[in-house]
Amino acid sequence: MNSTTIRFLLNGEQVEAQADPRIHAIDFLREQFELSSPRVGCEHGVCGACTIRVDGQIIRGCLMLSMQLDGTKVDTIEGLTAAGEIADLQEAFVARNAVQCGFCTSGMLLTGQDFLTGTQTVSRAAIREHLSGNYCRCTGYEAIIDAVEAVAIRRGIQVTREPS
Amino acid sequence: MNAPLTEQEQESITRRTWIGASIARPNARRLVDGAAVYIDDIRLPRLLHVVFVRSTVPSARLRRIETAAAAKAPGVVAVYTGRDLAETIAPMVATLAHFKGMKAAPQPALAIDRVCWQGEPIVAIVATKVRLAEDAAALIEIDYEEQAAVASLEAALDPSAPVIHPELGDNVCFTREIDTGNVDAIFSSSDVVVERTFRFPRHTGVCLEGRSVIGDYSASDQRLTVYISHQAPHMIQDCYARLLGLAESAVRVICRDVGGSYGIKTHVYGDELATCAISMLLKRPVKFVADRLESFVSDIHSRDHRVQMRMGFSADGTLRGVELRDFLAIGPYSVYPRTSVVEGNQIVNIAAQWYGHQAYRATMVNVFTNMCQYSNYRAVGHPVAVGATEGMMDVAARALGLDPIVIRQKNLLRDDAFPCQTPSGMKFEAMSHHECLQRIAKNMDLPALREEQRALRQRGVYRGIGVISMIEITNPSAQFYGVGGARISAQDGCTVRMEPSGSIVVLNGAGEQGQGTETVFAQVAAQAIGVHFSQVRVITGDTDMTPYGGGTWASRAAGVGGEATWQAARELRQNLLALAAIVTSRPAQSLDISESWVIDRLTAEQITPLSELGRIAYFRPDTLGAFQAELCVTRHAVPKDYPFTFTNGAIACHLEVDVETGFIKLLKFWVVEDCGTILNKQLVDEQVRGALVQGIGPTLYEQCLYDEKGHLMNGNMVDYLVPMAFEMPDMEVDHVSTPTRSTELGAKGAGEAGTAGAPAAILNALNDALAPFSTELFDMPFTPEKVLRALGRI
Amino acid sequence: MKSAALEYERPTSVAQALALKRHWGDRASYLAGGQSLMPAINMRLNAAACLIDLNRIESMRGIALEGDHLVIGAMTTHAAILTSELVREHVPVLIQAGRYLAHTAIRNRGTIGGSLALFDAAAEWPAACILLNAQIRVEGPDGLRHHPAESFVQGLFNRSLGEDELITAILMPKQRSTDRSVVLELARRQGDFASAALMATVLVTAGKPTGLRMVFFGVSDLPRRFETLESQLLEAIQAGHLTDVADLTRTALLREHVVADLYHSVEMKRHLCGVLASRALRQLLAPETSE
């Protein structure tokens, strides 16, 4: 099939649009729905700037075809902001200055939220590991780790300290 | 000359209600909410997209370029070669008069007749969608007549290398020599002379947002609006106007959110320039966004150096003389307009100059190659100068049997030795090397780390500690570029105005790319005027709106832009008090402003709100008699006393080397940074951290690897290794504060110090870890294989 | 880097997928998780005109216990494998490998079938399949076959997977509870493909080591066992005299096909294999080692 209409849930709203097979999910969301938080950083699947959530799982949007969004539930930062789902994480990022240029931030927030969801205990090393697939050039990562750790504590998740 | 601070104002700075506070950035909110606006987010009617076909070879004559098929492809509106654009775009010649003897060839925006580096843009394809332009790109045919390429520093230094620009005579772009004249005598009479060769790898910025620009030419207004991801909007306005044959006033440059820059986006790139030229020709907006693969072969590269350094000491550890020979390999052109020689020039100016020796000789040779174009990147030159200098100090410490801290204590310029002039001619205002060194040793509990190191060595675990001292150029004056004829502004201007409701608007010529500059300006203005921080709105990044300014680079925004803000806001406050005097019928000296109220200075009684002053000034001037309220003030600031405002600091690295695998694990970093008055501690600390990791990159991971023919072998995100979260350590940041007296705020810059010092700290920590094996490494990046070879394991 | 024009097919059964591939021939590529294919598509390095998306073929997903095997559907994601209780209980070496495997977002889409179709020299699943002597189920126009993992790929141009064939499942033998396994990877950065890596099991019968299997990956053109080395080391273990494992390994590898990469010479690869072998055996034999 070539271009075809797909239907999916986008940030809580049922939508439909023409999807061209050659277009990846990020370009599709940006062009068809004028969303700006899903963005392109490398198109190799390495940098994590394109991270979006599909059917509750974080994925690399640049490695997914727009066609593959058919029948799925897609969440981007715009939707999460409107729904207030990560308000504490966003607040922590601003307070701790875990965001500088902001280009990696969509991916960092979604990955951070993914990490904190359904988790009972975390450690700084585990936070670093979970975020190890998201490239940031500005912060040096420590502020981001701090922000995620702070939110973990506020959510009642146990933070274990490693020996130095 | 500005009026001296009143006692009241002095107290205000000292009180530091807003200045110094770690206020969160209001403009970070849109970044976390998904509401940022980067260039690619901007949509304009009838927008076209340009894609560039780039050279796949490093050196060739262009025999034939076939574009007919591409021009007819679906969605394609136009195809341009370098020749097609030659009438619209003047070639760029990046030389500056104060770099005596420097040579550079004219660089076209798109290649004409020849290509000089793999990645040089050759053809521009304009279409309604990027993907359609890329489809058409596949139809472009280019016949290359390949020529031998100069593919490395060593190749370029070889006298038999092909000369890239025959009209220049050879491949030397620039040489420089500094010689105090007594170096040979000093070395002859030194008890210990140590010498080493350091290798710093060519690497690149890898900004997460690729270079991006929209050229939007209005034929009706006869104006070009440039939306660009960049650090210096006024510089772009000037350069683009001249290169495109437009009046300066016909060009407007707008910078929105910038997704990372670090100096990569302070230059003029041919592809971005061509995008704007194309907009002029098509009379439609045209957008270019560099993708990741093309970024690796078109963003400027940096720091490709071989440094030989020699130091002569007396037996008691006193440093007596320093000699340095720096060789660096740039691209085939000098990058416009800052040139490609600043980096090497800075190295010879600053290497070892924070020590007390009086004999110094430095030579620098900067050569052209057919590798990617090359220029200034964060901490320009400092990582090399500090890396070599501090590496040598530890080499000397080992040779002399001295502790690395002790050898530095013996030789660092004393904290009371300022102001002074260095052997290289640098003027230092005031530094705190000894205080920083003492503080860092305390913060890291150095004796405990040494004890632990000893104990772990018994168990075959090899940890290393590296402590370094450093300086950093910030707040440059016109000595940096202006004196050479560059139209790059060292001054900055700020307009501060009060709106009728009492809120404050600040417009500043320096902007931000995430550093928090706008927040700092708001803090300064709020403090200066007497309003709550939330009452201040900041506008930057628009040449139509802000006063003329230099932009953000060389860690100047807070120091220079901030000072302009302070001066303008102070003046506004005086004007408000003058107005208040009329309105309240009280003497101005008896009044003050606090929390947006005019108050009695002695009793703090609230008298009238600023909003009332606004109402009267703007809507009831008939009640003011002869008095004219001026609630919009512009002031400019430029560093005048010193060519550069130097900061200083100490950085320490603690790491562990797995001597079986060669893998290095970074355990922790400490920094004690003296950047003068701190305007926002959290923002400064985060600049230090980000800069540190950017310095870790090329020390352990990053390198642009070229084959012997001049092809980049690892120009993608899988093979070019950038630091990621798991391998990075926590970094403790502390400060000493020696304000500069050349501004009232006393703020120096802070954005680059971490990058300047991290390589040196890691180098010394690594060699400290390997000391039991009597081996050393100076060839960065320190890959596991290099470590194992140094250990003789392979 | 935008992909070229593409057509897209979305079969819902293996039979449909095979028919589509037969129709398109080499102009179509199967799309599994896309974590390796899509970068190539984005960069126009893969010239496929059509992508046949396998993600809607439910029969290719899932993990089931069948006798002494786990049958893992080819379209089972890395994430599903790493969170499976069946895998944890019966093939724990896969869980041990999981901590090195890419990153969460990649694991949520990448599949074991896709990994085996590519058979990257540095990937975990091909190495694990060789280690455990897994069978790779392949379906094609001529029906269904099982290939031993070890001979599935014998070189860059010698692949058992035919043009029209599809990997549909992997039969992973259960690890016996007495066997011990270890996975060690050395990578420059967490989640990267390994500079050198080793998966090893010691087979233990009646308390005695009776077998040693070691798969080195990231060091050759394929994940490889070096059987001479395995015999040497097993002998030494059984004799209770295991020393100089690293040297033995490096020496054995002098005769084997070790391949350099952008950052590591052949000597470096061999050296790292020696270190890995030494560390792996120390872990596997903890109470028994005499090193």
Side-chain angles (χ1 to χ4, degrees):
Chain A
M1 63 181 85
N2 221 310
S3 218
T4 195
T5 306
I6 64 168
R7 290 172 189 78
F8 61 103
L9 205 60
L10 176 58
N11 291 325
E13 189 191 331
Q14 193 64 41
V15 296
E16 68 175 59
Q18 279 289 102
D20 182 330
R22 73 184 297 183
I23 299 175
H24 59 56
I26 301 298
D27 283 348
F28 176 68
L29 292 171
R30 291 177 63 81
E31 281 177 38
Q32 294 289 332
F33 299 97
E34 295 184 321
L35 294 172
S36 59
S37 85
R39 55 183 66 99
V40 159
C42 73
E43 288 174 312
H44 309 19
V46 173
C47 74
C50 69
T51 306
I52 55 173
R53 203 164 68 188
V54 175
D55 288 339
Q57 295 191 313
I58 51 167
I59 60 115
R60 303 290 206 220
C62 72
L63 301 185
M64 193 156 189
L65 295 174
S66 53
M67 300 291 281
Q68 294 180 302
L69 295 180
D70 193 21
T72 67
K73 174 180 186 299
V74 177
D75 298 306
T76 72
I77 292 293
E78 286 90 346
L80 268 62
T81 301
E85 183 190 323
I86 52 169
D88 57 351
L89 203 47
Q90 288 164 313
E91 183 58 51
F93 266 53
V94 173
R96 184 56 193 83
N97 209 59
V99 47
Q100 289 188 27
C101 82
F103 211 77
C104 75
T105 304
S106 304
M108 287 292 182
L109 287 170
L110 279 163
T111 306
Q113 174 69 348
D114 181 72
F115 178 67
L116 294 171
T117 306
T119 301
Q120 254 68 59
T121 66
V122 303
S123 65
R124 271 181 92 79
I127 299 172
R128 282 190 182 275
E129 186 179 338
H130 205 84
L131 293 174
S132 64
N134 289 73
Y135 173 51
C136 173
R137 190 56 136 175
C138 295
T139 66
Y141 302 106
E142 186 171 343
I144 298 174
I145 310 304
D146 285 351
V148 174
E149 187 183 30
V151 172
I153 292 170
R154 275 206 285 282
R155 290 188 188 179
I157 297 168
Q158 192 182 0
V159 179
T160 60
R161 307 269 164 203
E162 292 101 37
S164 63
Chain B
M1 185 71 203
N2 292 305
L5 288 172
T6 63
E7 198 189 279
Q8 196 178 335
E9 288 168 329
Q10 186 62 57
E11 192 202 285
S12 184
I13 294 183
T14 319
R15 222 175 33 219
R16 302 212 190 292
T17 324
W18 296 113
I19 291 175
S22 290
I23 307 225
R25 296 164 52 209
N27 61 356
R29 193 74 237 179
R30 67 169 179 272
L31 302 180
V32 297
D33 283 354
V37 181
Y38 304 96
I39 300 300
D40 194 44
D41 299 322
I42 297 174
R43 293 174 182 89
L44 295 172
R46 306 185 70 230
L47 180 69
L48 293 171
H49 301 264
V50 62
V51 155
F52 294 93
V53 175
R54 296 178 184 275
S55 176
T56 53
V57 302
S59 178
R61 302 225 68 80
L62 294 171
R63 271 213 307 253
R64 183 182 69 98
I65 303 173
E66 199 54 68
T67 61
K72 292 201 288 274
V76 172
V77 167
V79 178
Y80 299 97
T81 63
R83 202 172 284 292
D84 293 332
L85 296 177
E87 274 183 31
T88 314
I89 314 175
M92 301 178 275
V93 185
T95 54
L96 289 175
H98 62 315
F99 297 127
K100 303 254 175 283
M102 103 165 262
K103 312 198 291 279
Q107 178 178 7
L110 298 188
I112 302 174
D113 289 342
R114 67 181 301 209
V115 287
C116 294
W117 89 86
Q118 177 211 19
E120 186 173 1
I122 303 174
V123 179
I125 302 175
V126 191
T128 52
K129 294 276 183 223
V130 171
R131 52 186 172 270
L132 298 176
E134 287 193 17
D135 289 347
L139 302 173
I140 297 281
E141 280 171 28
I142 300 177
D143 270 354
Y144 298 101
E145 187 185 301
E146 279 195 70
Q147 299 168 308
V150 181
S152 68
L153 172 61
E154 287 67 33
L157 291 170
D158 187 329
S160 67
V163 176
I164 297 172
H165 304 285
E167 71 273 23
L168 298 180
D170 58 30
N171 288 326
V172 177
C173 175
F174 181 55
T175 62
R176 175 113 191 268
E177 182 168 321
I178 297 176
D179 192 345
T180 54
N182 52 347
V183 169
D184 290 324
I186 291 287
F187 276 121
S188 303
S189 64
S190 291
D191 297 315
V192 174
V193 176
V194 284
E195 177 170 350
R196 293 292 188 276
T197 300
F198 298 78
R199 197 69 177 81
F200 298 87
R202 176 181 265 254
H203 57 283
T204 187
V206 199
C207 309
L208 196 49
E209 179 208 23
R211 293 181 298 105
S212 311
V213 66
I214 297 175
D216 184 12
Y217 184 73
S218 161
S220 318
D221 291 336
Q222 294 194 29
R223 274 198 110 205
L224 172 68
T225 303
V226 181
Y227 302 86
I228 187 167
S229 182
H230 207 271
Q231 295 173 235
H234 284 99
M235 188 203 85
I236 291 291
Q237 177 193 42
D238 170 76
C239 291
Y240 278 27
R242 284 185 295 104
L243 293 168
L244 296 173
L246 297 169
E248 180 184 69
S249 55
V251 179
R252 177 183 185 186
V253 180
I254 297 173
C255 301
R256 304 290 299 270
D257 292 315
V258 174
S261 181
Y262 334 105
I264 301 296
K265 298 170 182 172
T266 53
H267 309 285
V268 171
Y269 287 87
D271 44 27
E272 295 172 4
L273 189 57
T275 303
C276 292
I278 292 168
S279 175
M280 288 165 63
L281 293 172
L282 294 176
K283 301 178 179 32
R284 282 173 74 167
V286 181
K287 183 196 286 188
F288 165 60
V289 177
D291 66 37
R292 188 52 55 194
L293 291 186
E294 76 187 315
S295 294
F296 275 109
V297 292
S298 62
D299 286 0
I300 55 109
H301 291 185
S302 202
R303 303 212 241 286
D304 191 352
H305 287 254
R306 186 176 82 223
V307 175
Q308 289 157 239
M309 203 161 185
R310 220 158 49 118
M311 287 185 173
F313 289 82
S314 330
D316 69 353
T318 304
L319 174 64
R320 303 199 44 238
V322 175
E323 179 170 25
L324 173 134
R325 299 175 70 206
D326 177 32
F327 301 91
L328 68 140
I330 62 172
Y333 294 107
S334 174
V335 173
Y336 196 78
R338 293 168 196 261
T339 81
S340 298
V341 307
V342 175
E343 188 180 273
N345 193 60
Q346 250 161 232
I347 289 168
V348 300
N349 278 342
I350 67 163
Q353 302 303 299
W354 50 103
Y355 291 104
H357 61 290
Q358 290 303 312
Y360 181 64
R361 181 165 63 214
T363 58
M364 183 268 297
V365 179
N366 173 326
V367 287
F368 293 115
T369 71
N370 293 110
M371 294 186 284
C372 184
Q373 57 184 358
Y374 176 120
S375 191
N376 302 344
Y377 170 49
R378 194 172 195 171
V380 187
H382 289 61
V384 176
V386 174
T389 301
E390 292 300 302
M392 289 306 294
M393 290 306 286
D394 270 27
V395 166
R398 288 192 284 274
L400 289 159
L402 288 173
D403 182 277
I405 301 285
V406 169
I407 200 173
R408 287 172 172 83
Q409 285 168 334
K410 277 185 181 299
N411 291 296
L412 284 165
L413 291 168
R414 288 163 46 107
D415 292 353
D416 59 5
F418 302 93
C420 67
Q421 180 157 317
T422 72
S424 67
M426 295 292 102
K427 295 191 168 78
F428 289 168
E429 179 194 358
M431 292 184 182
S432 59
H433 287 286
H434 289 267
E435 194 180 345
C436 287
L437 197 60
Q438 198 173 33
R439 180 82 68 85
I440 207 169
K442 175 169 154 294
N443 289 351
M444 61 197 286
D445 196 352
L446 191 48
L449 286 179
R450 287 283 179 215
E451 187 47 52
E452 179 194 58
Q453 180 185 42
R454 269 191 290 277
L456 287 173
R457 273 179 184 163
Q458 314 289 359
R459 288 167 32 202
V461 175
Y462 298 94
R463 291 193 174 174
I465 301 153
V467 182
I468 65 105
S469 296
M470 55 162 291
I471 62 173
E472 177 69 39
I473 285 176
T474 74
N475 300 353
S477 68
Q479 304 271 48
F480 209 35
Y481 288 116
V483 299
R487 294 171 71 86
I488 293 169
S489 186
Q491 61 84 50
D492 244 286
C494 183
T495 302
V496 182
R497 67 167 190 264
M498 192 187 86
E499 318 229 271
S501 59
S503 64
I504 305 293
V505 180
V506 171
L507 300 110
N508 199 303
E512 73 166 280
Q513 301 79 44
Q515 306 92 326
T517 323
E518 289 184 4
T519 301
V520 161
F521 292 161
Q523 289 174 259
V524 167
Q527 177 104 352
I529 297 165
V531 302
H532 192 275
F533 169 81
S534 63
Q535 290 295 303
V536 184
R537 190 161 62 90
V538 181
I539 297 170
T540 65
D542 186 336
T543 57
D544 265 10
M545 296 297 173
T546 69
Y548 202 89
T552 305
W553 43 275
S555 302
R556 66 184 293 282
V560 182
E563 183 69 12
T565 306
W566 174 253
Q567 295 298 335
R570 265 189 69 205
E571 197 63 30
L572 174 62
R573 185 176 170 282
Q574 295 302 110
N575 291 1
L576 284 167
L577 289 176
L579 171 61
I582 306 286
V583 168
T584 63
S585 304
R586 300 186 192 209
Q589 311 90 281
S590 72
L591 301 172
D592 198 348
I593 302 174
S594 173
E595 301 286 315
S596 300
W597 278 82
V598 177
I599 62 170
D600 183 292
R601 193 159 85 77
L602 290 172
T603 68
E605 174 210 349
Q606 289 185 329
I607 302 164
T608 189
L610 289 182
S611 55
E612 180 64 6
L613 295 186
R615 184 189 73 80
I616 293 169
Y618 290 115
F619 306 122
R620 295 306 310 273
D622 55 298
T623 62
L624 295 173
F627 181 84
Q628 175 59 56
E630 293 290 356
L631 302 187
C632 182
V633 178
T634 299
R635 285 290 177 272
H636 295 260
V638 65
K640 283 212 171 104
D641 306 345
Y642 287 88
F644 309 115
T645 303
F646 282 91
T647 63
N648 68 273
I651 296 184
C653 168
H654 189 210
L655 54 77
E656 187 173 302
V657 182
D658 182 332
V659 296
E660 288 187 328
T661 63
F663 278 64
I664 295 169
K665 184 171 152 72
L666 297 173
L667 299 173
K668 192 159 181 185
F669 272 80
W670 293 262
V671 179
V672 177
E673 167 71 358
D674 185 347
C675 53
T677 304
I678 292 178
L679 302 175
N680 182 317
K681 185 170 185 307
Q682 180 164 252
L683 294 181
V684 170
D685 287 358
E686 289 311 304
Q687 282 303 293
V688 172
R689 291 193 173 97
L692 262 175
V693 171
Q694 209 155 10
I696 291 171
T699 311
L700 296 180
Y701 299 100
E702 298 182 47
Q703 182 170 11
C704 294
L705 287 168
Y706 275 85
D707 67 16
E708 69 284 354
K709 294 210 156 60
H711 298 98
L712 183 62
M713 297 191 287
N714 63 341
N716 63 74
M717 290 300 280
V718 174
D719 295 325
Y720 184 94
L721 304 177
V722 291
M724 303 295 275
F726 192 72
E727 289 71 37
M728 291 303 107
D730 283 346
M731 302 163 275
E732 226 179 81
V733 184
D734 190 7
H735 296 278
V736 166
S737 179
T738 309
T740 171
R741 288 179 203 282
S742 58
T743 64
E744 285 175 18
L745 284 175
K748 303 176 182 175
E752 297 170 271
T755 306
I762 295 172
L763 167 71
N764 284 348
L766 175 61
N767 286 334
D768 182 58
L770 299 181
F773 301 93
S774 305
T775 190
E776 297 171 321
L777 279 112
F778 302 102
D779 178 10
M780 301 183 197
F782 300 126
T783 61
E785 176 147 359
K786 286 181 188 171
V787 172
L788 289 183
R789 285 192 185 274
L791 288 169
R793 304 265 171 148
I794 42 171
Chain C
M1 303 102 56
K2 308 302 176 190
S3 86
L6 282 174
E7 301 248 1
Y8 173 80
E9 302 283 10
R10 197 164 72 192
T12 49
S13 71
V14 171
Q16 215 187 344
L18 291 172
L20 282 165
K21 187 67 167 71
R22 212 165 32 248
H23 168 75
W24 282 92
D26 60 9
R27 290 179 304 136
S29 288
Y30 285 122
L31 174 61
Q35 305 303 282
S36 300
L37 180 62
M38 288 308 298
I41 294 280
N42 287 341
M43 294 189 216
R44 301 193 185 215
L45 294 174
N46 179 308
C50 174
L51 296 181
I52 301 171
D53 184 356
L54 304 174
N55 282 277
R56 304 296 175 118
I57 304 177
E58 287 313 309
S59 65
M60 287 177 74
R61 284 192 202 280
I63 303 173
L65 183 57
E66 281 179 22
D68 56 359
H69 287 89
L70 275 193
V71 181
I72 304 179
M75 285 303 291
T76 309
T77 64
H78 308 321
I81 291 171
L82 295 174
T83 52
S84 159
E85 273 311 307
L86 285 173
V87 171
R88 181 170 300 281
E89 196 184 328
H90 299 292
V91 196
V93 71
L94 300 185
I95 306 293
Q96 289 172 303
R99 57 182 278 246
Y100 300 104
L101 212 167
H103 308 281
T104 306
I106 308 278
R107 296 199 291 260
N108 284 338
R109 294 289 299 176
T111 66
I112 186 165
S115 175
L116 290 171
L118 205 55
F119 225 85
D120 192 289
E124 285 80 7
W125 296 155
C129 287
I130 292 174
L131 183 78
L132 298 172
N133 228 342
Q135 300 282 312
I136 300 174
R137 177 179 296 163
V138 163
E139 293 185 46
D142 304 326
L144 187 155
R145 270 178 312 172
H146 291 100
H147 281 283
E150 209 151 24
S151 58
F152 191 61
V153 176
Q154 272 150 36
L156 191 58
F157 301 107
N158 186 357
R159 298 185 163 248
S160 305
L161 190 63
E163 255 282 341
D164 290 343
E165 292 180 317
L166 188 58
I167 299 172
T168 53
I170 294 86
L171 279 60
M172 205 73 86
K174 286 158 56 177
Q175 287 175 265
R176 301 181 305 172
S177 55
T178 49
D179 297 341
R180 302 220 208 114
S181 60
V182 69
V183 180
L184 291 176
E185 286 195 33
L186 292 167
R188 299 291 297 282
R189 302 172 307 179
Q190 174 67 26
D192 281 358
F193 279 118
S195 305
L198 172 61
M199 278 192 202
T201 63
V202 163
L203 312 172
V204 177
T205 310
K208 300 247 180 293
T210 51
L212 174 65
R213 289 174 72 87
M214 301 167 80
V215 181
F216 291 90
F217 55 113
V219 299
S220 186
D221 56 341
L222 297 170
R224 286 194 180 278
R225 288 173 58 211
F226 303 117
E227 293 182 54
T228 316
L229 176 65
E230 283 176 354
S231 312
Q232 264 184 305
L233 291 171
L234 181 61
E235 250 181 64
I237 293 168
Q238 288 168 330
H241 189 63
L242 186 68
T243 57
D244 300 321
V245 173
D247 278 337
L248 272 170
T249 305
R250 279 193 289 273
T251 309
L253 290 183
L254 284 170
R255 294 183 297 274
E256 303 285 1
H257 185 45
V258 175
V259 176
D261 64 30
L262 200 50
Y263 293 109
H264 310 86
S265 67
V266 170
E267 294 80 37
M268 179 65 171
K269 295 275 189 185
R270 279 196 217 110
H271 175 89
L272 292 179
C273 288
V275 177
L276 288 170
S278 171
R279 292 180 179 180
L281 288 181
R282 209 175 306 141
Q283 270 188 252
L284 286 173
L285 306 168
E288 286 120 17
T289 188
S290 63
E291 190 155 354

